[in-house]
Amino acid sequence: MEPVESLFRRESGRMVAALTRVFGVHNLSLAEDVVQESFCRAMEVWKFRGVPDNPSAWLMTVAKNRALDVLRRERTARTFAPELTRLLESEWTLVPTLDEQLSPPAIADDLLRMMFSCCDPQVSEESQIALMLHILCGFSVDEAAGAFVATHAAMEKRLTRAKKVLAQSKRLFDVADAQGFSSRLPAVQRALYLLFNEGYHGASPEFAVRNELCQEALRLVAVLQGHPLGATPATDALAALMCLDAARLPARTDSAGELLPLADQDRSRWNRDLLIEGERLLQRSARGPELTPYHLEAAIAWVHANAARAEDTEWSQIVELYDMLMAVRPTPVVALNRAIALAQLHGPELGLEAIDAIEHRERLARYPFFPAAIGELELRAGRPASARRHFRDALRLARNPAERRFLEQRASACVS
Amino acid sequence: MNEYVFLYRGGSRPASPQEAQSVMQQWMAWLQDLAKRGHLKDQGQPLDPTGKVVAGKAMTITDGPFAEAKDLVGGYSLVNASDLAEAAELSKGCPIFERGGAVEVRPIMKM
């Protein structure tokens, strides 16, 4: 049985998605209300009787009963899904229609349908991932705000605005339309990538929160892989990247909860199963002509994973992969990582030169690991005073206490 | 061993599924603990807050609630204890107190 504490996270997304299909996307908030109410009811009973063996089926039954009440009560005041309206209006067809619409085969694609709906091009990327967390992963407004280090009010506003766009889209995304599916797929992959990155590199001070985001991204990418049109080489590469990076999560902090850079991590704490799965997916992704940034990032993660010790890392391979990545996605962060790899291969001076040459480096102005990287290379080049200055700059940009302590420790290591 | 009924009265209802989930976990842990120590005769049932009251010789039917929310019985359990004092002591672990509720401990009448 699934752990009780993740029931809502696991089950609510599919239920909201299914009910939204029946109620119509303009009634998204009604679907959310019904699901929340169903959960609260089920938990009231389960706190006495214990959680049944198949909680998801039970929850769906409770939701179906609540939905029936709502449909009967509101059918004169509201319109529901246009294609079901007539069937839901008549008492003769209401129950069988609802039974059919919420049966296991009917709900199979609901998560995917909602995932694609959330990635509407009219919704900004950061709102798309907030929406996915909220609707598909059952994050409350507060939990989503915590994940993005936003205030409750700001997150509520962001979600309300995004939901309004969704509601105006009249209907949910049609996952059976192959052409439409393929044209929105990159946006969905990108949103899942950003969701994972928010967890992996994000600013939330809570490691538990960040691990959760990575887990949710892994869960959603698996949903994408489960659909024949979604299981493209790029999706496999994305999933491989997530597995290989997520494998390192247990080793990213030491026993005191302090951040550990890759070079200092205890590699025996990397998750073997995720490494194996990541490698399998990376191999599977190498079919067809497409070489996406996900392929390259996954390959970089794989080279790191393959080094038994930090000093065994094949930096020449990594630099090569970053060169290829720069060709397809030349962002300042990629350029910075390339420069760091270059420094590993050819020494700190070359790395510093590469950092100097980064185009649009002003976009890294708020990223603490930009000055920190310079500090690291200055230190290695034997200029501790300059290194300390850069670590101090980084310290001012630190986004949470763990980063602050880490950078303080680096700054104090710069003794001339 | 004697039998007692715990009547759970009042206590704020969870406002969100997240809260309901954590309340549920607390109750499950508490009831499991009572069971492990051999005090749980029957974990009982929750009661829906709606209902009707039938009263008087005329058997007039009125809609609930019939008590103020803070007195409303939300569920019951059956508990084994050696005496009323022990039963009352056992109720102290109930998560309802954190939500402003009360446990009414009543001995089941014996001949």
Side-chain angles (χ1 to χ4, degrees), chain A residues 186-232:
Chain A
V188 174
Q189 289 163 338
R190 168 104 184 133
L192 295 179
Y193 172 78
L194 292 175
L195 176 60
F196 184 85
N197 270 0
E198 192 58 43
Y200 205 70
H201 301 290
S204 170
E206 303 271 352
F207 283 102
V209 169
R210 297 174 46 178
N211 287 353
E212 271 175 22
L213 294 189
C214 293
Q215 298 310 324
E216 294 300 334
L218 273 163
R219 184 166 74 93
L220 293 180
V221 83
V223 173
L224 199 54
Q225 286 177 292
H227 191 276
L229 290 172
T232 63

Short mmCIF file of all heavy atoms in Angstrom, two decimals, chain A residues 186-232:
data_model
loop_
_atom_site.label_atom_id
_atom_site.label_comp_id
_atom_site.label_asym_id
_atom_site.label_seq_id
_atom_site.Cartn_x
_atom_site.Cartn_y
_atom_site.Cartn_z
N PRO A 186 7.07 19.35 -26.81
CA PRO A 186 8.28 20.02 -26.32
C PRO A 186 8.00 20.96 -25.13
O PRO A 186 8.81 21.05 -24.21
CB PRO A 186 8.76 20.83 -27.54
CG PRO A 186 8.19 20.11 -28.71
CD PRO A 186 6.87 19.56 -28.27
N ALA A 187 6.85 21.63 -25.16
CA ALA A 187 6.51 22.52 -24.05
C ALA A 187 6.31 21.73 -22.76
O ALA A 187 6.71 22.16 -21.67
CB ALA A 187 5.25 23.32 -24.38
N VAL A 188 5.70 20.55 -22.89
CA VAL A 188 5.47 19.70 -21.72
C VAL A 188 6.81 19.20 -21.17
O VAL A 188 7.07 19.23 -19.96
CB VAL A 188 4.54 18.52 -22.07
CG1 VAL A 188 4.41 17.56 -20.90
CG2 VAL A 188 3.16 19.03 -22.49
N GLN A 189 7.68 18.75 -22.09
CA GLN A 189 9.00 18.28 -21.66
C GLN A 189 9.77 19.40 -20.95
O GLN A 189 10.40 19.20 -19.92
CB GLN A 189 9.81 17.80 -22.88
CG GLN A 189 9.28 16.49 -23.45
CD GLN A 189 9.78 16.22 -24.86
OE1 GLN A 189 10.17 17.14 -25.58
NE2 GLN A 189 9.74 14.97 -25.26
N ARG A 190 9.68 20.58 -21.53
CA ARG A 190 10.38 21.73 -20.96
C ARG A 190 9.85 22.04 -19.54
O ARG A 190 10.62 22.30 -18.64
CB ARG A 190 10.17 22.94 -21.90
CG ARG A 190 10.57 24.25 -21.33
CD ARG A 190 11.87 24.73 -21.91
NE ARG A 190 12.27 25.97 -21.27
CZ ARG A 190 13.48 26.22 -20.81
NH1 ARG A 190 14.43 25.32 -20.96
NH2 ARG A 190 13.76 27.36 -20.24
N ALA A 191 8.53 21.99 -19.38
CA ALA A 191 7.94 22.27 -18.07
C ALA A 191 8.40 21.23 -17.04
O ALA A 191 8.73 21.58 -15.90
CB ALA A 191 6.42 22.30 -18.16
N LEU A 192 8.46 19.96 -17.46
CA LEU A 192 8.91 18.92 -16.54
C LEU A 192 10.39 19.12 -16.19
O LEU A 192 10.81 18.91 -15.05
CB LEU A 192 8.69 17.53 -17.14
CG LEU A 192 7.23 17.14 -17.37
CD1 LEU A 192 7.14 15.74 -17.98
CD2 LEU A 192 6.46 17.17 -16.06
N TYR A 193 11.15 19.54 -17.19
CA TYR A 193 12.57 19.82 -16.97
C TYR A 193 12.74 20.96 -15.96
O TYR A 193 13.54 20.87 -15.02
CB TYR A 193 13.20 20.19 -18.32
CG TYR A 193 14.62 20.69 -18.26
CD1 TYR A 193 15.69 19.81 -18.12
CD2 TYR A 193 14.90 22.06 -18.36
CE1 TYR A 193 16.99 20.27 -18.08
CE2 TYR A 193 16.20 22.52 -18.32
CZ TYR A 193 17.24 21.62 -18.18
OH TYR A 193 18.53 22.09 -18.13
N LEU A 194 11.94 22.01 -16.14
CA LEU A 194 12.02 23.15 -15.22
C LEU A 194 11.57 22.76 -13.81
O LEU A 194 12.14 23.20 -12.82
CB LEU A 194 11.17 24.32 -15.73
CG LEU A 194 11.66 24.99 -17.01
CD1 LEU A 194 10.67 26.04 -17.48
CD2 LEU A 194 13.04 25.62 -16.79
N LEU A 195 10.55 21.92 -13.75
CA LEU A 195 10.07 21.46 -12.45
C LEU A 195 11.17 20.69 -11.72
O LEU A 195 11.45 20.91 -10.54
CB LEU A 195 8.83 20.56 -12.65
CG LEU A 195 8.24 19.91 -11.40
CD1 LEU A 195 7.81 20.96 -10.40
CD2 LEU A 195 7.06 19.02 -11.76
N PHE A 196 11.83 19.80 -12.47
CA PHE A 196 12.92 19.03 -11.87
C PHE A 196 14.04 19.97 -11.41
O PHE A 196 14.57 19.84 -10.31
CB PHE A 196 13.44 18.01 -12.88
CG PHE A 196 14.52 17.13 -12.29
CD1 PHE A 196 14.18 15.99 -11.58
CD2 PHE A 196 15.85 17.45 -12.42
CE1 PHE A 196 15.15 15.18 -11.01
CE2 PHE A 196 16.84 16.66 -11.85
CZ PHE A 196 16.48 15.52 -11.15
N ASN A 197 14.39 20.92 -12.29
CA ASN A 197 15.48 21.84 -11.96
C ASN A 197 15.17 22.71 -10.75
O ASN A 197 16.06 23.05 -9.98
CB ASN A 197 15.78 22.74 -13.15
CG ASN A 197 16.82 22.10 -14.04
OD1 ASN A 197 17.29 21.01 -13.75
ND2 ASN A 197 17.16 22.78 -15.12
N GLU A 198 13.89 23.08 -10.63
CA GLU A 198 13.48 23.87 -9.48
C GLU A 198 13.80 23.09 -8.21
O GLU A 198 14.24 23.64 -7.21
CB GLU A 198 11.99 24.18 -9.57
CG GLU A 198 11.48 25.22 -8.60
CD GLU A 198 12.19 26.56 -8.75
OE1 GLU A 198 12.41 27.00 -9.89
OE2 GLU A 198 12.54 27.15 -7.71
N GLY A 199 13.59 21.78 -8.29
CA GLY A 199 13.92 20.93 -7.16
C GLY A 199 15.43 20.77 -7.01
O GLY A 199 15.97 20.87 -5.91
N TYR A 200 16.11 20.57 -8.12
CA TYR A 200 17.52 20.21 -8.04
C TYR A 200 18.42 21.40 -7.74
O TYR A 200 19.35 21.31 -6.95
CB TYR A 200 17.95 19.55 -9.35
CG TYR A 200 19.14 18.64 -9.17
CD1 TYR A 200 19.00 17.44 -8.48
CD2 TYR A 200 20.39 18.98 -9.65
CE1 TYR A 200 20.08 16.61 -8.28
CE2 TYR A 200 21.48 18.15 -9.45
CZ TYR A 200 21.32 16.97 -8.76
OH TYR A 200 22.37 16.14 -8.56
N HIS A 201 18.13 22.53 -8.39
CA HIS A 201 19.00 23.70 -8.22
C HIS A 201 18.29 24.87 -7.55
O HIS A 201 18.85 25.93 -7.41
CB HIS A 201 19.50 24.20 -9.58
CG HIS A 201 20.25 23.17 -10.35
ND1 HIS A 201 21.50 22.73 -9.97
CD2 HIS A 201 19.93 22.46 -11.46
CE1 HIS A 201 21.92 21.80 -10.84
NE2 HIS A 201 20.98 21.62 -11.74
N GLY A 202 17.01 24.67 -7.20
CA GLY A 202 16.16 25.79 -6.79
C GLY A 202 16.58 26.44 -5.49
O GLY A 202 17.56 26.05 -4.86
N ALA A 203 15.81 27.44 -5.12
CA ALA A 203 16.20 28.28 -3.99
C ALA A 203 15.56 27.85 -2.68
O ALA A 203 15.88 28.41 -1.64
CB ALA A 203 15.81 29.73 -4.31
N SER A 204 14.64 26.89 -2.71
CA SER A 204 13.97 26.53 -1.47
C SER A 204 14.99 26.08 -0.43
O SER A 204 15.85 25.26 -0.71
CB SER A 204 12.95 25.41 -1.70
OG SER A 204 12.51 24.94 -0.45
N PRO A 205 14.90 26.61 0.79
CA PRO A 205 15.85 26.22 1.82
C PRO A 205 15.63 24.79 2.32
O PRO A 205 16.49 24.22 2.98
CB PRO A 205 15.60 27.23 2.94
CG PRO A 205 14.21 27.74 2.71
CD PRO A 205 13.95 27.62 1.25
N GLU A 206 14.49 24.22 2.01
CA GLU A 206 14.16 22.89 2.54
C GLU A 206 14.60 21.81 1.55
O GLU A 206 14.05 21.70 0.47
CB GLU A 206 12.65 22.76 2.74
CG GLU A 206 12.04 23.80 3.63
CD GLU A 206 12.07 23.37 5.09
OE1 GLU A 206 12.42 22.21 5.35
OE2 GLU A 206 11.75 24.21 5.94
N PHE A 207 15.56 21.00 1.95
CA PHE A 207 15.98 19.93 1.06
C PHE A 207 14.85 18.96 0.82
O PHE A 207 14.69 18.41 -0.27
CB PHE A 207 17.21 19.22 1.61
CG PHE A 207 18.45 20.03 1.39
CD1 PHE A 207 19.01 20.75 2.43
CD2 PHE A 207 19.02 20.10 0.14
CE1 PHE A 207 20.13 21.53 2.21
CE2 PHE A 207 20.14 20.88 -0.09
CZ PHE A 207 20.70 21.59 0.96
N ALA A 208 14.02 18.75 1.86
CA ALA A 208 12.90 17.81 1.71
C ALA A 208 11.97 18.29 0.61
O ALA A 208 11.53 17.50 -0.23
CB ALA A 208 12.16 17.68 3.03
N VAL A 209 11.69 19.59 0.60
CA VAL A 209 10.80 20.16 -0.43
C VAL A 209 11.41 19.96 -1.80
O VAL A 209 10.75 19.55 -2.75
CB VAL A 209 10.60 21.68 -0.18
CG1 VAL A 209 9.91 22.34 -1.36
CG2 VAL A 209 9.80 21.90 1.10
N ARG A 210 12.70 20.21 -1.89
CA ARG A 210 13.35 20.11 -3.20
C ARG A 210 13.39 18.68 -3.69
O ARG A 210 13.19 18.41 -4.87
CB ARG A 210 14.72 20.75 -3.11
CG ARG A 210 14.59 22.24 -2.80
CD ARG A 210 15.89 22.92 -2.56
NE ARG A 210 16.86 22.56 -3.57
CZ ARG A 210 18.08 23.05 -3.61
NH1 ARG A 210 18.44 23.94 -2.70
NH2 ARG A 210 18.91 22.68 -4.53
N ASN A 211 13.64 17.74 -2.78
CA ASN A 211 13.60 16.33 -3.18
C ASN A 211 12.21 15.95 -3.68
O ASN A 211 12.08 15.21 -4.65
CB ASN A 211 13.97 15.42 -2.00
CG ASN A 211 15.44 15.49 -1.70
OD1 ASN A 211 16.21 16.12 -2.45
ND2 ASN A 211 15.85 14.87 -0.62
N GLU A 212 11.19 16.50 -3.01
CA GLU A 212 9.82 16.20 -3.44
C GLU A 212 9.57 16.67 -4.86
O GLU A 212 8.94 15.97 -5.64
CB GLU A 212 8.82 16.94 -2.54
CG GLU A 212 8.40 16.15 -1.32
CD GLU A 212 7.52 16.98 -0.41
OE1 GLU A 212 6.91 17.96 -0.90
OE2 GLU A 212 7.46 16.66 0.78
N LEU A 213 10.06 17.88 -5.18
CA LEU A 213 9.86 18.39 -6.54
C LEU A 213 10.50 17.45 -7.55
O LEU A 213 9.93 17.16 -8.60
CB LEU A 213 10.43 19.79 -6.69
CG LEU A 213 9.78 20.90 -5.87
CD1 LEU A 213 10.33 22.26 -6.32
CD2 LEU A 213 8.28 20.89 -6.02
N CYS A 214 11.69 16.98 -7.25
CA CYS A 214 12.37 16.05 -8.16
C CYS A 214 11.55 14.76 -8.30
O CYS A 214 11.40 14.24 -9.40
CB CYS A 214 13.77 15.73 -7.65
SG CYS A 214 14.87 17.15 -7.71
N GLN A 215 11.03 14.27 -7.17
CA GLN A 215 10.22 13.04 -7.22
C GLN A 215 8.97 13.25 -8.07
O GLN A 215 8.58 12.38 -8.85
CB GLN A 215 9.80 12.58 -5.82
CG GLN A 215 10.95 12.22 -4.87
CD GLN A 215 11.94 11.26 -5.48
OE1 GLN A 215 11.57 10.37 -6.25
NE2 GLN A 215 13.21 11.43 -5.19
N GLU A 216 8.33 14.40 -7.91
CA GLU A 216 7.11 14.68 -8.67
C GLU A 216 7.43 14.76 -10.17
O GLU A 216 6.68 14.26 -11.00
CB GLU A 216 6.43 15.97 -8.21
CG GLU A 216 5.87 15.93 -6.79
CD GLU A 216 4.81 14.85 -6.59
OE1 GLU A 216 4.15 14.46 -7.57
OE2 GLU A 216 4.67 14.38 -5.46
N ALA A 217 8.56 15.40 -10.50
CA ALA A 217 8.95 15.49 -11.91
C ALA A 217 9.19 14.09 -12.48
O ALA A 217 8.78 13.78 -13.60
CB ALA A 217 10.19 16.36 -12.06
N LEU A 218 9.83 13.23 -11.69
CA LEU A 218 10.08 11.86 -12.13
C LEU A 218 8.76 11.11 -12.35
O LEU A 218 8.61 10.35 -13.31
CB LEU A 218 10.92 11.11 -11.07
CG LEU A 218 12.43 11.27 -11.21
CD1 LEU A 218 13.13 10.87 -9.92
CD2 LEU A 218 12.94 10.40 -12.36
N ARG A 219 7.81 11.35 -11.45
CA ARG A 219 6.51 10.68 -11.56
C ARG A 219 5.79 11.14 -12.83
O ARG A 219 5.23 10.34 -13.57
CB ARG A 219 5.67 11.00 -10.33
CG ARG A 219 4.35 10.29 -10.28
CD ARG A 219 3.74 10.40 -8.90
NE ARG A 219 3.20 11.71 -8.63
CZ ARG A 219 1.93 12.04 -8.85
NH1 ARG A 219 1.10 11.14 -9.35
NH2 ARG A 219 1.49 13.24 -8.57
N LEU A 220 5.83 12.47 -13.09
CA LEU A 220 5.10 12.98 -14.25
C LEU A 220 5.79 12.58 -15.56
O LEU A 220 5.11 12.30 -16.55
CB LEU A 220 4.96 14.50 -14.17
CG LEU A 220 4.07 15.01 -13.03
CD1 LEU A 220 4.01 16.53 -13.05
CD2 LEU A 220 2.67 14.43 -13.12
N VAL A 221 7.10 12.52 -15.56
CA VAL A 221 7.78 12.12 -16.80
C VAL A 221 7.46 10.66 -17.11
O VAL A 221 7.36 10.25 -18.26
CB VAL A 221 9.29 12.42 -16.76
CG1 VAL A 221 10.08 11.35 -16.05
CG2 VAL A 221 9.84 12.61 -18.17
N ALA A 222 7.25 9.86 -16.06
CA ALA A 222 6.87 8.46 -16.27
C ALA A 222 5.49 8.37 -16.91
O ALA A 222 5.23 7.48 -17.73
CB ALA A 222 6.90 7.69 -14.95
N VAL A 223 4.60 9.29 -16.55
CA VAL A 223 3.27 9.33 -17.17
C VAL A 223 3.42 9.61 -18.67
O VAL A 223 2.79 8.98 -19.51
CB VAL A 223 2.38 10.40 -16.51
CG1 VAL A 223 1.07 10.57 -17.28
CG2 VAL A 223 2.12 10.06 -15.05
N LEU A 224 4.30 10.54 -18.98
CA LEU A 224 4.56 10.90 -20.38
C LEU A 224 5.13 9.70 -21.14
O LEU A 224 4.75 9.41 -22.27
CB LEU A 224 5.54 12.08 -20.41
CG LEU A 224 5.63 12.91 -21.68
CD1 LEU A 224 4.27 13.42 -22.10
CD2 LEU A 224 6.59 14.09 -21.47
N GLN A 225 6.05 8.99 -20.49
CA GLN A 225 6.66 7.81 -21.13
C GLN A 225 5.65 6.70 -21.34
O GLN A 225 5.85 5.85 -22.20
CB GLN A 225 7.80 7.27 -20.25
CG GLN A 225 9.04 8.12 -20.27
CD GLN A 225 10.08 7.55 -19.33
OE1 GLN A 225 9.91 7.55 -18.11
NE2 GLN A 225 11.15 7.03 -19.90
N GLY A 226 4.58 6.71 -20.53
CA GLY A 226 3.58 5.65 -20.61
C GLY A 226 2.65 5.80 -21.81
O GLY A 226 1.86 4.91 -22.09
N HIS A 227 2.71 6.91 -22.50
CA HIS A 227 1.84 7.13 -23.65
C HIS A 227 2.65 6.95 -24.94
O HIS A 227 3.75 7.49 -25.04
CB HIS A 227 1.25 8.54 -23.59
CG HIS A 227 0.15 8.76 -24.59
ND1 HIS A 227 0.41 9.10 -25.88
CD2 HIS A 227 -1.20 8.66 -24.48
CE1 HIS A 227 -0.74 9.22 -26.53
NE2 HIS A 227 -1.74 8.96 -25.70
N PRO A 228 2.10 6.19 -25.91
CA PRO A 228 2.89 5.91 -27.12
C PRO A 228 3.41 7.17 -27.82
O PRO A 228 4.54 7.18 -28.31
CB PRO A 228 1.91 5.14 -28.02
CG PRO A 228 0.60 5.08 -27.32
CD PRO A 228 0.81 5.48 -25.91
N LEU A 229 2.60 8.24 -27.84
CA LEU A 229 3.06 9.46 -28.51
C LEU A 229 4.04 10.25 -27.63
O LEU A 229 4.82 11.06 -28.11
CB LEU A 229 1.88 10.36 -28.86
CG LEU A 229 0.94 9.87 -29.98
CD1 LEU A 229 -0.28 10.77 -30.06
CD2 LEU A 229 1.68 9.84 -31.30
N GLY A 230 3.97 9.99 -26.32
CA GLY A 230 4.83 10.74 -25.39
C GLY A 230 6.21 10.12 -25.24
O GLY A 230 7.17 10.79 -24.87
N ALA A 231 6.31 8.81 -25.54
CA ALA A 231 7.56 8.09 -25.29
C ALA A 231 8.55 8.29 -26.43
O ALA A 231 8.97 7.34 -27.08
CB ALA A 231 7.26 6.61 -25.08
N THR A 232 8.94 9.52 -26.67
CA THR A 232 9.90 9.81 -27.74
C THR A 232 11.32 9.71 -27.18
O THR A 232 11.52 9.68 -25.96
CB THR A 232 9.70 11.24 -28.27
OG1 THR A 232 9.96 12.14 -27.20
CG2 THR A 232 8.28 11.45 -28.77
#
